[in-house]
Amino acid sequence: MTSTDSAAQKAPAKDPWDLPDVSGLVVGVLGGTGPQGKGLAYRLARAGQRVIVGSRAAERAEAAAAELGHGVEGADNAETARRSDVVIVAVPWDGHGETLQSLRGELAGKLVVDCVNPLGFDKKGAYALKPEEGSAAEQAAALLPDSRVTAAFHHLSAVLLQDPEIAEIDTDVMVLGEARADVETVQALAGRIPGMRGIFAGRLRNAHQVESLVANIISVNRRYKAHAGLRVTDV
């Protein structure tokens, strides 16, 4: 057999837009009572996903779920993690490490999607912080060795996500991770939301610059009184 024959018999490259069916997955949102978490929970549930919002206090989560409707359930963070197939981490940066460390057991074996942006603020505006591990996502991976950690949903406007009058969210979502199957699952979840696409953007070592870009977007929004998003061209 020649090298030409061998090449001809190779399987065709996988279509990067051939994504899995994720409609049956249960999505938990840690920090689901905050603006970003609540907005993501609302959009996913509105698209038909089964969603559980989590909070340190179950009562607070249940109140947020009732407000969101669309079948959203509320529970404390531990129960949310246990009952979910995919867990989105949308907690404040200053509670990120402590929250994940406390849920290490409940998150074992789960697909974790970190969307936390380590930011500081001063009189000049927002600026990026760099965690010791390199990024919030890498911190999550270090704290959750038995979970499959990805990073996504960083650049979304909580205002637009929560606005019921807006039918589509015109943006792309950069998705980072180590395993292609996990990244594609998150891409598919993003694609459930009308107007949104999930785009593979590298491995977790590249998460810092994706998280940091939020500081620039905040500056754009303040100058132009906007709710800016991102589009990746030519893909």
Side-chain angles (χ1 to χ4, degrees):
M1 179 180 292
T2 67
S3 59
T4 303
D5 293 334
S6 178
Q9 292 181 13
K10 286 183 179 178
K14 186 178 186 299
D15 181 352
W17 296 110
D18 181 15
L19 300 175
D21 178 8
V22 295
S23 59
L25 297 179
V26 179
V27 178
V29 184
L30 304 181
T33 59
Q36 191 80 352
K38 188 182 289 187
L40 279 169
Y42 172 69
R43 287 292 161 176
L44 288 168
R46 180 168 159 172
Q49 208 74 36
R50 184 180 170 194
V51 177
I52 307 171
V53 293
S55 177
R56 285 177 296 180
E59 297 81 5
R60 189 177 176 198
E62 290 163 359
E67 179 184 341
L68 291 170
H70 296 282
V72 175
E73 300 176 63
D76 64 38
N77 283 332
E79 183 180 350
T80 297
R82 281 193 297 268
R83 294 174 56 195
S84 301
D85 303 302
V86 179
V87 179
I88 297 173
V89 181
V91 300
W93 166 240
D94 58 7
H96 181 263
E98 181 182 354
T99 299
L100 295 184
Q101 193 164 30
S102 71
L103 297 171
R104 179 173 173 174
E106 290 83 358
L107 290 170
K110 307 289 184 176
L111 175 54
V112 174
V113 187
D114 201 298
C115 69
V116 174
N117 303 303
L119 297 176
F121 296 86
D122 60 19
K123 63 182 180 181
K124 295 182 180 180
Y127 60 94
L129 303 174
K130 189 164 188 179
E132 181 179 349
E133 298 84 355
S135 64
E138 288 170 295
Q139 184 183 86
L143 292 171
L144 303 172
D146 299 319
S147 304
R148 293 135 47 217
V149 176
T150 61
F153 301 117
H154 300 91
H155 307 132
L156 306 180
S157 165
V159 173
L160 297 184
L161 289 173
Q162 294 184 76
D163 188 342
E165 299 302 316
I166 294 176
E168 297 188 0
I169 304 295
D170 180 21
T171 193
D172 287 331
V173 172
M174 293 187 182
V175 185
L176 303 98
E178 301 302 319
R180 180 164 185 165
D182 294 337
V183 169
E184 289 180 345
T185 294
V186 180
Q187 287 181 264
L189 278 174
R192 295 270 287 161
I193 300 173
M196 195 178 289
R197 295 188 307 172
I199 304 288
F200 171 65
R203 294 178 179 268
L204 288 186
R205 68 181 183 179
N206 293 321
H208 171 65
Q209 51 264 44
V210 173
E211 296 169 3
S212 300
L213 189 57
V214 175
N216 303 88
I217 294 176
I218 290 172
S219 297
V220 170
N221 287 339
R222 287 181 173 175
R223 174 63 61 91
Y224 298 101
K225 310 301 181 188
H227 301 293
L230 296 177
R231 279 294 187 198
V232 180
T233 62
D234 201 33
V235 293

